[in-house]
Amino acid sequence: MAASELAVRNLFVDRGGRPVLRDVSINVPPGEITALLGANGAGKSTLVLTIAGVLPALRGDISCDGVQLLGQPADAVRRQGVALVLEGHPVLIGLSVRDNLAAAALMHSRRNAEREIEAALEIFPELGARLSVPAQLLSGGQKQMVVIAQAMIARPRYLLIDELSFGLAPAIVSRLAETIEAIARRGVGILLIEQFTTLALSLTRRAYVMERGTVAFAGSSDELRQHPEILHGAYLASGQAAAHA
């Protein structure tokens, strides 16, 4: 296990008394985007929610650059450098875009909060003209920008993104893909759940494929591109078909 990485080892998680994750182990290195693929119900969202401290685990180990995260609450995990972007780009209803960003900055001092908000707006300058608009009135793409900006305000070393492209137009997806590549170049490790496998593999060097709560494949994205039957087999086992961009 490397000292600098987000590492999950032998993780077991139940939900509603039913086993959802069984002996899951993954690594997310800094400065890279790592794909997490698999059919609906394979356990991908449960995995990132558990890493982020939202869901408890039965047993296993989760560490961020050598610091133990398992058992810590979500706000402590965030402070340790792991930020979560939830599926469906949920914003804080009834609050403006600026107030959504300010809510994410409460972990900082007032001076640092303003600095982090400005830094987030540099990532998504499109939001600058929308700061006073109620966040729920934004387009889906703009909402996704807001929730990624909220995550970046925490100054994460690792970013967990659950379905980057969900419900978004191709032009917006392309803009967001360029953004997360730029974030990774800053040294942030990104774990990306993505419904479009072609997009995910084009952005990543390494990939994991989950099937029924276990890791069915761990290796290079190139290998998955060259052997699509590996990925298709995981989807077919669940009665679904892999989505392609």
Side-chain angles (χ1 to χ4, degrees), residues 38-40 42 209-212 228-244:
N40 293 335
V209 178
M210 294 192 65
E211 180 182 333
R212 296 178 179 174
E229 67 276 6
I230 297 173
L231 190 56
H232 292 161
Y235 280 85
L236 290 173
S238 66
Q240 299 175 38
H244 300 281

Side-chain angles (χ1 to χ4, degrees), residues 77-217:
V77 171
R78 190 178 178 93
R79 289 179 184 277
Q80 290 292 348
V82 180
L84 173 63
V85 176
L86 287 167
E87 178 183 1
H89 32 268
V91 295
L92 299 174
I93 303 298
L95 296 182
S96 68
V97 171
R98 172 169 283 282
D99 287 344
N100 266 261
L101 300 179
L106 290 174
M107 63 188 296
H108 300 298
S109 67
R110 184 177 224 174
R111 177 183 297 178
N112 288 342
E114 286 301 316
R115 183 177 64 196
E116 296 304 326
I117 291 171
E118 290 303 314
L121 291 172
E122 289 177 7
I123 299 174
F124 294 115
E126 299 96 322
L127 297 178
R130 310 287 285 168
L131 290 177
S132 62
V133 174
Q136 71 267 24
L137 299 182
L138 297 178
S139 68
Q142 291 169 336
K143 289 177 181 176
Q144 187 72 303
M145 292 179 188
V146 170
V147 295
I148 294 175
Q150 287 176 314
M152 291 305 297
I153 283 172
R155 287 190 223 162
R157 298 195 300 280
Y158 299 93
L159 192 58
L160 314 173
I161 303 179
D162 194 350
E163 297 293 3
L164 178 73
S165 70
F166 182 78
L168 303 180
I172 296 297
V173 174
S174 178
R175 165 76 171 94
L176 295 173
E178 291 174 359
T179 299
I180 66 168
E181 287 182 307
I183 291 170
R185 286 195 293 271
R186 298 181 180 185
V188 177
I190 299 175
L191 182 62
L192 175 66
I193 298 176
E194 175 52 49
Q195 61 181 324
F196 290 118
T197 58
T198 305
L199 172 64
L201 296 178
S202 73
L203 294 173
T204 59
R205 294 174 57 188
R206 298 202 276 180
Y208 295 89
V209 178
M210 294 192 65
E211 180 182 333
R212 296 178 179 174
T214 64
V215 174
F217 171 87

Side-chain angles (χ1 to χ4, degrees), residues 28-42:
V28 181
E32 291 185 24
I33 306 173
T34 301
L36 183 62
L37 306 174
N40 293 335

Side-chain angles (χ1 to χ4, degrees), residues 10-109:
N10 310 116
L11 191 68
F12 289 78
V13 176
D14 282 6
R15 297 185 72 172
R18 180 175 63 89
V20 179
L21 299 181
R22 293 171 291 153
D23 202 21
V24 170
S25 296
I26 69 167
N27 298 342
V28 181
E32 291 185 24
I33 306 173
T34 301
L36 183 62
L37 306 174
N40 293 335
K44 307 183 302 298
S45 293
T46 294
L47 176 56
V48 295
L49 288 170
T50 305
I51 294 172
V54 178
L55 295 177
L58 289 177
R59 61 184 184 276
D61 182 82
I62 303 171
S63 64
C64 172
D65 296 343
V67 177
Q68 295 299 313
L69 299 182
L70 193 66
Q72 294 197 42
D75 60 339
V77 171
R78 190 178 178 93
R79 289 179 184 277
Q80 290 292 348
V82 180
L84 173 63
V85 176
L86 287 167
E87 178 183 1
H89 32 268
V91 295
L92 299 174
I93 303 298
L95 296 182
S96 68
V97 171
R98 172 169 283 282
D99 287 344
N100 266 261
L101 300 179
L106 290 174
M107 63 188 296
H108 300 298
S109 67

